[in-house]
């Protein structure tokens, strides 16, 4: 017989469904820098491994890396670029010891999502005031999507989030305080749309097995946030003709959605025939951290090399708040309809630091070559590492080139390999979301196993001066 459900565990049922979907939101795109996105952005900047904090020449990517760099724009410029980002992930879940003493093994699962296409459009230039400059645009951080088998060993963590993305609309001004000192400040609107599919378990401990597919609870969540203001600011200083020092701050942001939707498919087992939900909305809040960047660049007539360090305060993401909006579960024997109370999802991310070394060589009057290396420490600890929180340490090797087609048009291209060590997790705290197991007595740990990762980035951009 189906276990009688108490009022408290009834609330946990829908909370569990919301949690299963909400947890997958956090790293909504695969293998992301410090939990959310990769350690580079922009085609030209990727060619030098994102060592772009202390700019030496006109580059609209400065809008993101250091807005003081837009003071190098001698002419108005329009930048269009497109990058292709892909990550290959294979998860081999650790074997499970069954109650009868046998061992259950799981087939490896791979990310089946297609490569992500990442666009960018930026424009900027000087003003009538000789010391004042401007730039504006829209762009998306580099990340790729996830899609895993609906019946795979990872399904209790994440199935699909393709169609998700975050982005910025950004406007900035730069001012030349003197010939050696420039400052810049930008205003941004941070936006995000996420579609998340994941699975919980309806196993109640009285019949079946925690991984029986007819006890799976499928949840699809859509989260959208179109207004979250934030800002960045920066400065550049030239202590010597050949040296530039740059520093910038990206201020925190918060993604909020007061009407996120959660649509569920209850288990197909007959015990759930009368269970339904009323209401499908919740308020969700996810903080994004402060970024601090520092770079120093040495330049000559034909070469320039920069060393940059980036700090990301991901320890800000300690928890995620979820508040259901008049959501109830109906059909509970002897109880009727019960409201789902607000709850908190602990995350415990850690701060991340990355180091970038990149340079450029002017081959001829029309051709330049770039290259670089970067290392970033991942922000997700072993305890919470899973296919929805993939953030290993990353080594990035990149190459790039720029070619002046004529006096007004410049083409840039870049390619980067993301080399990420295999990660073996043996002490995971990631469990199934289970509506009837408040104390983790019957839920299974599903995060242990071997995670193999590799990624690449390829991009092409065009800059038109007018």
């Amino acid at each position: 017989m189906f276990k009688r459900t108490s009022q408290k565990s009834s609330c946990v049922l829908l909370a569990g469904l919301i949690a299963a979907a909400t947890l997958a939101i956090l790293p909504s795109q695969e293998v992301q820098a410090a939990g959310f996105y990769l350690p580079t952005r922009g085609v030209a900047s990727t060619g030098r491994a994102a060592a772009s904090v202390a700019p030496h020449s006109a580059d609209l990517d400065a809008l993101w890396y250091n807005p003081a760099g837009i003071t190098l724009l001698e002419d108005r410029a329009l930048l269009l670029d497109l990058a292709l980002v892909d990550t290959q992930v294979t998860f081999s879940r650790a074997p499970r010891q069954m109650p009868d003493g046998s061992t259950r093994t799981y087939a490896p699962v791979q990310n089946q999502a297609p490569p992500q296409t990442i666009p960018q459009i930026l424009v900027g230039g000087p003003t009538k005031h000789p010391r004042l400059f401007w730039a504006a645009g829209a762009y998306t951080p580099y990340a790729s999507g996830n899609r895993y088998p609906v019946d795979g060993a990872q399904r209790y963590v994440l199935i699909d989030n393709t169609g998700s993305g975050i982005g910025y609309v950004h406007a900035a001004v730069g001012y030349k305080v003197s010939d050696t000192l420039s400052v810049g400040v930008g205003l941004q609107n941070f936006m995000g749309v996420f579609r998340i599919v994941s699975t919980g378990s309806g196993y109640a401990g009285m019949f079946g097995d925690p991984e029986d597919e007819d006890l799976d609870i499928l949840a699809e969540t859509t989260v959208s946030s179109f207004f979250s203001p934030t800002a960045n600011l920066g400065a550049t200083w030239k202590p010597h003709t050949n040296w530039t020092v740059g520093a910038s701050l990206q201020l925190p942001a918060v993604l909020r959605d007061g009407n996120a939707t959660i649509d569920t498919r209850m288990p197909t087992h007959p015990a759930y025939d009368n269970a339904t939900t009323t209401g499908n909305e919740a308020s969700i809040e996810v903080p994004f951290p402060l970024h601090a960047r520092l770079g120093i660049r040495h330049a000559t007539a034909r070469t320039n090399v920069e060393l940059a360090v980036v700090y990301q305060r991901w320890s800000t993401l300690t928890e995620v708040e979820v508040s259901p909006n008049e959501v109830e579960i109906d059909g509970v024997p002897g109880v009727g309809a019960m409201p789902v109370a607000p709850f908190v999802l602990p995350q415990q991310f850690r701060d991340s630091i990355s180091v970038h070394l990149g340079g450029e060589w002017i081959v001829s009057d029309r051709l330049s070559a770039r290259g670089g290396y970067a290392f970033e420490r991942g922000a997700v600890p072993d305890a919470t590492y899973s296919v929805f929180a993939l953030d290993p340490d990353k080594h990035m090797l990149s190459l790039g080139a720029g070619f002046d087609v004529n006096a007004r048009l410049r083409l840039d291209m870049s390619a980067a390999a993301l080399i990420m060590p295999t990660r073996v997790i043996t002490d995971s705290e990631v469990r199934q979301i289970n509506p009837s197991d408040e104390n983790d007595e019957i839920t299974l740990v599903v995060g242990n196993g071997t995670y193999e990762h590799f990624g690449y980035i390829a991009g092409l951009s065009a800059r038109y001066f007018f």
Side-chain angles (χ1 to χ4, degrees):
M1 294 295 292
F2 182 56
K3 180 181 178 182
R4 184 181 179 89
T5 308
S6 69
Q7 173 174 336
K8 188 174 181 182
S9 62
S10 299
C11 295
V12 176
L13 171 58
L14 197 54
L17 301 179
I18 298 171
T22 304
L23 283 169
I25 292 167
L26 303 181
S28 63
Q29 298 169 316
E30 191 79 71
V31 186
Q32 301 123 353
F36 283 91
Y37 31 78
L38 293 168
T40 186
R41 197 202 60 73
V43 171
S45 292
T46 296
R48 50 180 175 263
S52 301
V53 183
H56 170 69
S57 58
D59 186 353
L60 280 167
D61 281 344
L63 189 64
W64 168 253
Y65 291 101
N66 185 347
I70 65 177
T71 59
L72 296 172
L73 293 168
E74 297 178 354
D75 299 299
R76 288 174 297 179
L78 173 66
L79 172 66
L80 300 173
D81 76 27
L82 195 65
L84 195 67
V85 180
D86 190 30
T87 52
Q88 304 296 322
V89 179
T90 300
F91 171 53
S92 301
R93 186 171 152 192
R96 172 190 165 199
Q97 291 298 122
M98 303 297 288
D100 62 3
S102 63
T103 300
R104 173 177 290 180
T105 59
Y106 302 91
V109 294
Q110 295 181 328
N111 180 19
Q112 301 169 349
Q116 192 91 342
T117 303
I118 310 292
Q120 172 178 251
I121 179 169
L122 304 175
V123 63
T127 69
K128 293 181 179 180
H129 191 293
R131 293 185 178 274
L132 188 64
F133 299 77
W134 67 277
Y139 52 84
T140 301
Y142 283 3
S144 64
N146 315 263
R147 182 182 294 150
Y148 295 97
V150 69
D151 59 350
Q154 88 308 319
R155 68 185 185 275
Y156 297 108
V157 179
L158 181 64
I159 295 172
D160 192 359
N161 68 9
T162 55
S164 304
I166 56 176
Y168 291 84
V169 175
H170 193 167
V173 293
Y175 184 75
K176 278 189 176 181
V177 180
S178 67
D179 291 340
T180 60
L181 178 65
S182 295
V183 295
V185 61
L187 296 178
Q188 302 159 308
N189 183 35
F190 175 58
M191 301 174 290
V193 175
F194 303 113
R195 170 189 167 269
I196 312 297
V197 180
S198 56
T199 299
S201 172
Y203 175 66
M206 302 299 292
F207 54 84
D209 181 82
E211 295 183 274
D212 284 349
E213 292 187 25
D214 64 353
L215 295 176
D216 283 354
I217 305 167
L218 194 67
E220 180 173 349
T221 295
T222 302
V223 178
S224 58
S225 177
F226 296 107
F227 183 69
S228 180
T230 185
N232 69 340
L233 63 156
T236 60
W237 174 52
K238 291 181 69 68
H240 184 274
T241 304
N242 299 110
W243 292 92
T244 303
V245 178
S248 67
L249 285 176
Q250 171 62 56
L251 300 185
V254 178
L255 187 150
R256 295 185 181 91
D257 185 0
N259 300 103
T261 59
I262 304 101
D263 296 313
T264 60
R265 185 204 69 189
M266 301 302 286
T268 58
H269 193 283
Y272 281 87
D273 283 350
N274 296 321
T276 61
T277 59
T278 301
N280 70 336
E281 294 186 349
S283 298
I284 297 174
E285 183 172 301
V286 182
F288 280 67
L290 173 86
H291 295 198
R293 302 182 177 95
L294 178 65
I296 182 168
R297 183 177 298 212
H298 180 266
T300 66
R302 300 188 71 85
T303 63
N304 67 84
V305 177
E306 179 177 330
L307 175 66
V309 178
V310 180
Y311 165 75
Q312 300 178 59
R313 194 167 178 261
W314 281 106
S315 59
T316 303
L317 187 50
T318 58
E319 61 185 28
V320 175
E321 299 177 7
V322 181
S323 300
N325 300 340
E326 299 182 357
V327 177
E328 296 181 333
I329 179 168
D330 301 316
V332 181
V335 178
M338 297 305 304
V340 179
F343 60 97
V344 171
L345 302 168
Q347 295 302 305
Q348 305 304 323
F349 277 30
R350 63 192 183 191
D351 293 343
S352 176
I353 294 178
S354 59
V355 180
H356 308 254
L357 178 65
E360 184 175 31
W361 174 40
I362 309 302
V363 181
S364 69
D365 290 343
R366 301 177 68 181
L367 178 66
S368 60
R370 306 182 185 99
Y373 165 80
F375 170 78
E376 181 182 66
R377 176 180 182 259
V380 181
D382 283 3
T384 55
Y385 203 84
S386 70
V387 294
F388 69 75
L390 285 166
D391 189 35
D393 294 343
K394 305 169 196 68
H395 301 269
M396 183 172 72
L397 296 171
S398 65
L399 293 172
F403 181 73
D404 292 327
V405 178
N406 53 46
R408 293 186 177 275
L409 180 62
R410 179 179 180 83
L411 300 179
D412 288 287
M413 62 190 70
S414 63
L418 297 162
I419 302 166
M420 297 167 277
T422 296
R423 195 157 172 177
V424 179
I425 306 298
T426 59
D427 56 353
S428 176
E429 297 177 7
V430 177
R431 290 179 172 270
Q432 294 172 303
I433 298 296
N434 190 304
S436 61
D437 187 21
E438 301 168 63
N439 300 314
D440 293 334
E441 295 174 351
I442 58 175
T443 53
L444 302 177
V445 172
V446 293
N448 284 328
T450 301
Y451 298 81
E452 300 171 87
H453 340 68
F454 179 79
Y456 69 84
I457 303 169
L460 177 67
S461 72
R463 267 182 278 186
Y464 182 74
F465 297 93
F466 60 99

